[in-house]
Amino acid sequence: MIGRLRGIVIEKQPPEVLLEVGGVGYEVQMPMSCFYDLPEIGKEAAIHTHFVVREDAQLLYGFNHKQERALFRELIKTNGVGPKLALAILSGMTASQFVICVEREEISSLVKLPGVGKKTAERLVVEMKDRLKGWVSHDLFSPAMVALPVGTSELRAPDAADEAVSALISLGYKPQQASQIVSKIAVDGMSVEEIIRESLRSL
């Protein structure tokens, strides 16, 4: 089990980061709510990881805090929720926001997330409400996780909009939906992460 990595950020291609640790590059998929907090390329980062082994792939999912990873692990225990959907859920809202939605049974907020229909949202509330009791009140999440960081990114390729569309598709949004929302959001000078952030807020 690979539980934590500390190394140099080599590439950032939302929602994936390439982290070099001891000469080995690890491809790690992260929720966008965690991805925004990554340091710039060339800087050192430490992330908590969850390792998934499938017949056709070995995948690493990364998080800035142990509590975010713990919530991810609770999500994938839920019937019908796999790692990809859990990643999409934690990209659409922060861990604290998700816990609050479950505690308040805000089905309407949950169904806005990619891949989450009404039945899945209801299942999340029913199966996770008791398991998540007290997570926020006991301050298991740092205040920084409640609000998305503001700040710009060094990802300023001329095709930032295309990269943002690809990232949204990776998170489970339909290609047409991703293209439409990005076309409304993207303007010259915006970074990939800024486009994704604003797109997720408007979806």
Side-chain angles (χ1 to χ4, degrees):
M1 176 66 73
I2 301 173
R4 185 175 183 270
L5 292 172
R6 185 175 68 183
I8 305 299
V9 177
I10 302 300
E11 293 179 9
K12 293 167 72 176
Q13 180 67 45
E16 189 172 276
V17 59
L18 180 63
L19 199 68
E20 183 177 316
V21 182
V24 179
Y26 291 88
E27 294 177 344
V28 185
Q29 296 186 51
M30 301 182 71
M32 291 310 301
S33 54
C34 295
F35 195 94
Y36 300 133
D37 277 340
L38 285 172
E40 297 178 359
I41 289 174
K43 301 288 186 179
E44 185 178 78
I47 56 178
H48 300 279
T49 58
H50 178 80
F51 188 41
V52 174
V53 179
R54 301 190 326 216
E55 288 184 6
D56 59 342
Q58 296 184 28
L59 305 169
L60 269 175
Y61 295 91
F63 310 89
N64 296 327
H65 304 278
K66 285 184 178 179
Q67 292 80 12
E68 291 165 315
R69 183 180 63 185
L71 179 56
F72 177 85
R73 288 173 172 172
E74 291 296 333
L75 277 166
I76 60 178
K77 290 178 186 176
T78 304
N79 186 31
V81 178
K84 184 175 181 180
L85 180 54
L87 190 76
I89 289 171
L90 293 179
S91 290
M93 58 177 62
T94 65
S96 294
Q97 289 166 343
F98 175 79
V99 172
I100 290 170
C101 281
V102 170
E103 287 184 342
R104 296 177 181 174
E105 300 185 15
E106 295 179 358
I107 303 296
S108 59
S109 297
L110 294 174
V111 296
K112 293 178 182 178
L113 299 168
V116 179
K118 187 176 180 182
K119 287 185 178 180
T120 301
E122 291 172 346
R123 191 183 304 124
L124 285 168
V125 169
V126 170
E127 292 191 28
M128 298 191 71
K129 192 169 184 180
D130 287 339
R131 284 188 272 154
L132 298 182
K133 271 185 179 176
W135 277 45
V136 174
S137 61
H138 284 87
D139 198 27
L140 289 176
F141 298 108
S142 66
M145 292 172 59
V146 178
L148 294 177
V150 178
T152 57
S153 164
E154 73 282 356
L155 290 174
R156 296 187 177 277
D159 58 341
D162 292 338
E163 290 186 33
V165 170
S166 296
L168 291 173
I169 293 172
S170 297
L171 293 171
Y173 289 96
K174 294 179 180 178
Q176 185 177 1
Q177 182 184 21
S179 296
Q180 287 178 345
I181 191 64
V182 168
S183 66
K184 293 177 182 178
I185 298 293
V187 296
D188 290 343
M190 289 183 74
S191 70
V192 176
E193 292 174 44
E194 287 172 327
I195 296 171
I196 295 170
R197 190 199 332 267
E198 294 304 320
S199 296
L200 288 171
R201 284 176 175 169
S202 62
L203 285 165

